[in-house]
Amino acid sequence: MSIWASIVQRDLRIAWRRRSDALSSLFFFVIVVSLFPLGVAPEPSTLRLMASGVLWVAALLATLLSLGRLFAADHLDGTLEQMLLAAEPLWLVVTSKVFAHWLTSGLPLVLLSPLMGLQFGLEGDEIAVLSGALLLGTPVLSLIGSIGAALTVGLRAGSVLLALLVLPLYIPVLVFGAAASGAFASGLTVTPHFSILGALLLASMALAPLATALALRISLE
Amino acid sequence: MAAINWFKFSSPHSFYPLAGRMMPWFLAASLLLSIVGLYVAFFVAPTDFQQGESYRIIFIHVPAAWMSMFIYLVMAGWAGAGLVFNTRLSGMMARALAPTGAMFTFLALWTGALWGKPTWGTWWVWDARLTSELILLFLYIGFLSLTAAIEDERRADRAGAVLALVGVVNIPIIYFSVVWWNTLHQGASVSLKSAPKMATTMLIGMLLMALAFWMYSIAAALLRVRSIIREREPRAAAEV
């Protein structure tokens, strides 16, 4: 367990020293979300209708941008190979790296989402549903994304490829995440959506690190 | 009783000539079945009293949609076998199948659009089946671009195998999420589930075309796997 904590600590420290990387994908999120009212129409009713979808799509894209950082730097300086050789199981190392990635990319999006919700004219309860769904959904994005990041580590044009691999797999999270807000807006209960998001989170927590560890071994063999 | 050596043909060296001997037969069967199937489709099957002649595209559309899904499963099966047994041929088979599967997925979408315009009055609806077929095409494209981007062929096979397996776990989740999304967002503008009972000749035509597509897929995969063997292991191909 100590290696888990120390890798999280190390990745957080690295992220802190390269603050601009994490901040850029956060600003990317803010800018993409702000472009939609400009592109569509600033009608409050239209904006409220599309707020959850826009925020979710922007969160998907922002996570995708930050995924390149997950293994790339460690691959370049050889740390990743040391992690493969470590006595601790690789999937454990992977979970700690993914957790640190979520803390620096997913969690800031969740914390920022109420502000973006206000821009789209959402009420307090609606914002709570949206941010709650993002809180459950963004770790799934980091977990599934780690498989794609591991498969494309060290490849030319890896980032474009990563989008092709990962975005189709993000569809269930997008559907259920955005649908939670839709259900709330039409007066239905949001429990089933949150339950499914939770189920997706548990399933990806169990399976994704194994697939990522396998993919890392293949990429670095 | 002598044990059968199941792995004899798992080596490219012994599979190359076998594939070469089988390929023409599958190709011939595919041509023959297509000719008979298309004859049934265009001349024997009756005109649909609601849709007129435009329904006849289903003889291509439905078998193509079946193949698109089935080939992905077979591809993932080969991918899994390749990871478990570490056989070179399994990865080659998975990669030989992928372009055919992507082609059938595209064909199913395209013919579906051609059928949708006269029947539903629109080229595309965000129906659950259409959307999940489109996502299947994305999964094929992901597999093809990943394997194409990796220069080391063995690594490409194995990385593609992981992706194909992840995709196969996700396909049911994606399908049900799309079904749910669809029922939430729009009323059932189009329902394919309550299809009217088909005339027997229509069913026969469709089954013949499905068989023809099966044979074509096998022939195409065998031909492609022979090219892959020639490219990667010229010695295995040269000795026969």
Side-chain angles (χ1 to χ4, degrees):
Chain A
M1 214 53 198
S2 65
I3 189 174
W4 198 86
S6 55
I7 289 181
V8 171
Q9 211 177 14
R10 168 185 168 275
D11 277 16
L12 287 181
R13 192 177 297 136
I14 292 176
W16 178 249
R17 291 196 179 146
R18 297 181 192 148
R19 292 185 280 282
S20 64
D21 288 5
L23 280 176
S24 329
S25 46
L26 200 60
F27 283 127
F28 173 82
F29 173 72
V30 174
I31 291 172
V32 167
V33 170
S34 312
L35 284 179
F36 276 86
L38 298 171
V40 186
E43 300 287 332
S45 54
T46 322
L47 288 186
R48 283 184 57 172
L49 202 63
M50 60 185 230
S52 65
V54 168
L55 256 80
W56 269 98
V57 172
L60 252 63
L61 296 176
T63 310
L64 194 65
L65 272 190
S66 64
L67 277 175
R69 292 202 307 271
L70 188 53
F71 297 118
D74 284 350
H75 175 61
L76 279 180
D77 64 14
T79 319
L80 201 56
E81 285 181 28
Q82 296 303 316
M83 289 173 177
L84 257 68
L85 294 172
E88 282 76 11
L90 186 55
W91 60 264
L92 192 69
V93 176
V94 166
T95 48
S96 58
K97 285 196 71 71
V98 172
F99 182 64
H101 174 261
W102 176 74
L103 285 181
T104 56
S105 71
L107 191 59
L109 297 187
V110 178
L111 297 177
L112 208 60
S113 61
L115 201 61
M116 310 312 294
L118 286 176
Q119 267 197 329
F120 281 74
L122 297 183
E123 303 290 333
D125 290 354
E126 291 170 318
I127 289 178
V129 169
L130 179 59
S131 302
L134 279 168
L135 185 65
L136 276 175
T138 42
V140 186
L141 301 183
S142 292
L143 282 161
I144 297 177
S146 73
I147 305 174
L151 285 172
T152 54
V153 73
L155 290 184
R156 283 177 293 107
S159 55
V160 184
L161 191 57
L162 186 59
L164 285 183
L165 304 188
V166 166
L167 284 178
L169 302 176
Y170 279 173
I171 288 167
V173 186
L174 170 68
V175 166
F176 290 112
S181 295
F184 187 76
S186 45
L188 301 169
T189 170
V190 293
T191 328
H193 297 87
F194 276 79
S195 304
I196 290 182
L197 281 176
L200 288 174
L201 176 58
L202 289 176
S204 55
M205 269 166 79
L207 297 174
L210 297 175
T212 307
L214 180 60
L216 278 178
R217 289 205 187 282
I218 290 169
S219 294
L220 290 174
E221 75 186 0
Chain B
M1 196 177 101
I4 304 169
N5 185 4
W6 292 105
F7 287 98
K8 176 164 189 268
F9 288 109
S10 72
S11 102
H13 178 78
S14 48
F15 188 71
Y16 182 82
L18 180 73
R21 275 201 303 279
M22 291 194 301
M23 204 280 290
W25 293 100
F26 283 110
L27 193 63
S30 142
L31 280 175
L32 198 68
L33 284 163
S34 306
I35 292 167
V36 181
L38 286 176
Y39 179 78
V40 173
F42 280 108
F43 299 107
V44 183
T47 307
D48 189 89
F49 79 102
Q50 276 178 326
Q51 302 172 15
E53 301 293 346
S54 65
Y55 92 95
R56 290 186 197 275
I57 201 151
I58 65 160
F59 290 109
I60 302 287
H61 173 71
V62 174
W66 284 343
M67 288 315 294
S68 68
M69 289 176 262
F70 184 69
I71 289 179
Y72 196 90
L73 285 181
V74 177
M75 194 178 92
W78 278 115
L83 284 180
V84 172
F85 297 116
N86 207 14
T87 42
R88 299 198 298 288
L89 189 66
S90 311
M92 294 180 186
M93 281 304 288
R95 289 183 64 184
L97 281 163
T100 310
M103 187 272 287
F104 276 127
T105 316
F106 182 76
L107 190 65
L109 287 167
W110 191 258
T111 52
L114 290 180
W115 179 80
K117 187 62 184 167
T119 318
W120 298 339
T122 170
W123 298 104
W124 180 262
V125 288
W126 289 95
D127 172 78
R129 288 194 188 196
L130 273 72
T131 313
S132 44
E133 188 75 9
L134 182 66
I135 296 167
L136 184 65
L137 182 65
F138 295 160
L139 291 178
Y140 272 119
I141 291 173
F143 180 89
L144 288 170
S145 7
L146 178 67
T147 48
I150 304 176
E151 275 169 22
D152 175 4
E153 298 291 353
R154 287 287 288 147
R155 182 189 159 188
D157 285 352
R158 291 159 61 79
V162 173
L163 186 68
L165 288 178
V166 171
V168 111
V169 171
N170 267 278
I171 280 177
I173 304 175
I174 292 175
Y175 180 74
F176 285 113
S177 71
V178 169
V179 169
W180 190 340
W181 163 78
N182 183 255
T183 47
L184 273 178
H185 283 252
Q186 59 171 59
S189 58
V190 175
S191 174
L192 290 169
K193 279 176 192 149
S194 56
K197 272 193 124 168
M198 243 186 260
T200 323
T201 42
M202 288 187 196
L203 189 66
I204 289 174
M206 211 189 281
L207 289 178
L208 281 171
M209 288 310 291
L211 272 176
F213 281 10
W214 265 75
M215 296 299 128
Y216 167 78
S217 307
I218 297 173
L222 288 177
L223 186 65
R224 210 172 277 122
V225 88
R226 268 170 69 89
S227 315
I228 295 175
I229 294 176
R230 278 202 166 186
E231 203 175 314
R232 289 197 215 165
E233 304 183 17
R235 196 170 289 175
E239 283 176 23
V240 284

